[in-house]
Amino acid sequence: MSVEVTVDPGKIARTLRLRNGIVARRLSERTARTARIAEREAPGSMGRYISWKVQDGPRGLQGVIVCDHPAVRYVLDGTRPHIIRPRRAKALRFEVGGRVVFAAYARHPGTRPNNFLLRALIEGR
């Protein structure tokens, strides 16, 4: 008695790329885990702006994590020291030691880069 097995690489590849296939489910789990880590690592309320999805890419399925917070570029890249001036009012208003202080401008020292998305990607492997 003989048995013949034919392997069709095209069918295997199509099966692996199915939307509800094992590869898609595994990719979805890993992307969700990485997004949860990014939410935890994000400063302040930025974690609430993180979403994720699995979509078709140029080489098959890919997991995508997005942060829609308006200041995310400044957090990821950092900022140089700069001067802050009022936009609509004539002075800036601060509270210092319980007292209200007004100033024509303020010198911001800048911020260090905080690449929380990269840290989440490395930790979520």
Side-chain angles (χ1 to χ4, degrees):
M1 177 159 122
S2 69
V3 175
E4 184 177 321
V5 176
T6 305
V7 176
D8 185 357
K11 283 188 178 182
I12 292 173
R14 283 191 297 276
T15 304
L16 290 176
R17 279 184 268 146
L18 286 175
R19 244 354 201 154
N20 295 323
I22 191 166
V23 173
R25 285 194 306 266
R26 181 80 171 128
L27 179 62
S28 182
E29 290 169 6
R30 292 183 87 173
T31 305
R33 182 176 67 227
T34 304
R36 283 193 303 273
I37 294 168
E39 289 171 4
R40 188 180 71 225
E41 292 284 327
S45 66
M46 201 167 283
R48 291 192 298 246
Y49 290 85
I50 293 176
S51 61
W52 65 274
K53 60 187 171 192
V54 175
Q55 66 184 22
D56 291 321
R59 296 183 182 165
L61 294 177
Q62 62 184 14
V64 179
I65 299 173
V66 178
C67 183
D68 290 333
H69 193 277
V72 71
R73 285 282 11 135
Y74 302 117
V75 171
L76 294 175
D77 296 337
T79 60
R80 295 181 4 203
H82 56 280
I83 294 177
I84 300 173
R85 298 186 191 281
R87 286 185 163 191
R88 294 175 192 86
K90 293 183 180 179
L92 298 170
R93 182 181 183 273
F94 298 99
E95 277 193 43
V96 179
R99 295 181 49 213
V100 176
V101 179
F102 295 94
Y105 66 91
R107 296 180 190 269
H108 192 283
T111 58
R112 287 187 172 165
N114 178 1
N115 201 341
F116 64 93
L117 290 175
L118 179 62
R119 285 196 313 270
L121 184 62
I122 291 170
E123 191 179 331
R125 288 185 192 211

